[in-house]
Amino acid sequence: MQRTLEEMPSNVEIKAAVRNLQLLTQRAKELSKSTGTLIRQHDTFFNVQKGRLKLRNLMDGTGQLIFYERPDVDGPKLSNYSISLTGDPDGLTRVLSDALGVKGSVKKERSLYLVGQTRVHVDTVEGLGHFMELEVVMREGQTAEEGEAIAQQLMEDLGVKKEDLIVGAYMDLLLTDKKG
């Protein structure tokens, strides 16, 4: 049974390059009133006809199979997604690799800070550098515009500039680097 986009969970997302990691991290700690949570992730992206499909290995014997669709534009963008948990990320990666082929992989260390309904990620991505990602987890009945307003305000509070915004996923940036 396929769900419509309206039935899928969604978030409003912003991704940006980080110029001053120490300053951004300090502001994230202050806004979240926490020291954050360190998460190591290895995402394997698979070839699919629409959207993106990745298996996130959480490097602790667990993982998440994540399908998502979002436009490739800078600034706030609405992302619809589905997630399934797995206790065998390595085995599932092998099966999906055999079935679909691998588009590429992303290894990152992520510090997670929770600010209201927003997940603030401060990421160090292998082969790319430092980035910040905001995910405003949409509540039932909330409009995309409300989520975008929350993201814009938080971007300002964190000192992220519009010229630092990036389009697409880390996978896209890695693939572009390999071509160039």
Side-chain angles (χ1 to χ4, degrees), residues 49-65:
Q49 290 183 340
K50 69 172 192 157
R52 292 185 170 95
L53 181 67
K54 68 182 172 186
L55 181 60
R56 171 163 289 158
N57 188 329
L58 298 172
M59 311 309 290
D60 64 359
T62 68
Q64 302 168 322
L65 183 61

Side-chain angles (χ1 to χ4, degrees), residues 37-41 58 108-112 119 121:
T37 303
L38 183 65
I39 305 166
R40 288 180 179 81
Q41 300 175 337
L58 298 172
K108 66 180 171 274
E109 227 175 58
R110 166 171 280 178
S111 294
L112 167 65
R119 298 169 58 91
H121 303 140

Side-chain angles (χ1 to χ4, degrees), residues 32-45:
S32 69
K33 297 176 181 58
S34 77
T35 56
T37 303
L38 183 65
I39 305 166
R40 288 180 179 81
Q41 300 175 337
H42 182 179
D43 293 346
T44 302
F45 286 78

Side-chain angles (χ1 to χ4, degrees), residues 13 17 45 51 71 80 105 107 150 160 166:
E13 200 174 288
F45 286 78
N80 295 294
S105 68
K107 292 180 183 175
I150 292 167
V160 176
I166 62 170

Side-chain angles (χ1 to χ4, degrees), residues 75-143:
K77 50 197 150 278
L78 187 65
S79 178
N80 295 294
Y81 59 91
S82 298
I83 299 176
S84 178
L85 306 178
T86 181
D88 184 15
D90 293 332
L92 190 52
T93 299
R94 280 191 301 276
V95 170
L96 289 169
S97 298
D98 290 346
L100 301 172
V102 173
K103 184 174 185 178
S105 68
V106 175
K107 292 180 183 175
K108 66 180 171 274
E109 227 175 58
R110 166 171 280 178
S111 294
L112 167 65
Y113 304 91
L114 299 174
V115 180
Q117 70 190 81
T118 306
R119 298 169 58 91
V120 178
H121 303 140
V122 179
D123 295 337
T124 300
V125 183
E126 192 176 290
L128 288 179
H130 304 293
F131 296 87
M132 180 274 329
E133 182 179 271
L134 301 178
E135 289 180 354
V136 181
V137 180
M138 301 301 290
R139 296 183 176 140
E140 192 171 326
Q142 236 178 351
T143 66

